[in-house]
């Protein structure tokens, strides 16, 4: 791997790194914008801010961000109750406490980051799921299998 490619890779890795601070008060003061699924859950509470910095100088649009967030024992058991303000988010449980609540959750979302700038989003908790569950359907015929997720429908030949 050339030195130039390595420098670009390291820069990209740094861009997507997290610096997490517990700043619930700051989130409340500055006001947070919520995505449509989160607007439905009006009682969402910001618990921690995620700061993403760009050190390359190039603006990043819909930049993929992934990181783990630890949660105190007994906080939440359903990953659908965890989200990111202002962005759609996927949450996957990495570890659970002995009482079944989530210990570590992996969050994936996209953020816009100005070249050489910083983006801040808050991790939020809701008493209700932030995203309504959608039913997936799979239909099998003699020639194909049709999968319908609601957002996407496709067929696979047998």
């Amino acid at each position: 791997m050339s030195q130039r490619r390595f420098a670009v890779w390291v820069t990209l890795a740094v861009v997507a790194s997290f610096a997490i601070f517990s700043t619930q008060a700051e989130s409340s003061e500055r006001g947070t914008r919520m995505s449509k699924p989160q607007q439905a859950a009006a009682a969402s509470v910001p618990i921690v801010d995620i700061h993403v910095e760009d050190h390359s100088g190039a603006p990043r649009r819909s930049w993929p961000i992934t990181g783990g967030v630890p949660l105190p024992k007994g906080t939440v058991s359903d990953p659908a109750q965890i989200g990111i303000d202002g962005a759609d988010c996927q949450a996957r449980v990495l570890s659970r406490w002995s009482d079944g609540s989530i210990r570590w959750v992996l969050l994936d979302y996209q953020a816009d980051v100005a070249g050489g700038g910083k983006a801040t989003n808050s991790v939020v908790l809701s008493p209700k799921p932030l995203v309504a569950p959608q039913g997936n359907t799979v239909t099998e015929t003699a020639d194909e299998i049709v999968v319908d997720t609601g957002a996407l429908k496709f067929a696979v030949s047998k």
Side-chain angles (χ1 to χ4, degrees):
M1 179 183 288
S2 74
Q3 196 171 26
R4 182 179 176 98
R5 284 187 184 167
F6 179 74
V8 169
W9 183 85
V10 169
T11 300
L12 295 177
V14 170
V15 168
S17 66
F18 282 142
I20 300 177
F21 302 98
S22 180
T23 57
Q24 181 175 354
E26 286 179 21
S27 296
S28 299
E29 288 172 12
R30 81 169 175 268
T32 56
R33 56 173 205 187
M34 303 292 281
S35 66
K36 288 179 184 177
Q38 293 164 339
Q39 289 173 355
S44 296
V45 177
I47 59 165
V48 70
D49 280 353
I50 297 173
H51 302 281
V52 181
E53 296 182 25
D54 173 68
H55 298 284
S56 71
R60 307 294 177 177
R61 183 136 175 86
S62 298
W63 193 248
I65 309 296
T66 299
V69 176
L71 298 170
K73 190 173 187 178
T75 304
V76 65
S77 296
D78 183 1
Q81 294 175 270
I82 303 169
I84 300 289
D85 75 331
D88 290 327
C89 173
Q90 293 180 341
R92 189 180 98 182
V93 177
L94 297 177
S95 176
R96 291 192 179 268
W97 291 99
S98 59
D99 67 352
S101 62
I102 298 172
R103 177 182 282 181
W104 277 92
V105 64
L106 182 68
L107 300 176
D108 292 295
Y109 70 102
Q110 295 179 349
D112 294 337
V113 183
K118 184 189 289 188
T120 301
N121 296 95
S122 295
V123 176
V124 295
L125 294 181
S126 173
K128 298 184 280 183
L130 295 169
V131 178
Q134 297 178 357
N136 296 334
T137 60
V138 177
T139 308
E140 188 171 350
T141 66
D143 299 328
E144 64 185 5
I145 299 172
V146 179
V147 178
D148 186 356
T149 66
L152 176 68
K153 184 176 181 177
F154 62 93
V156 179
S157 300
K158 285 187 174 181

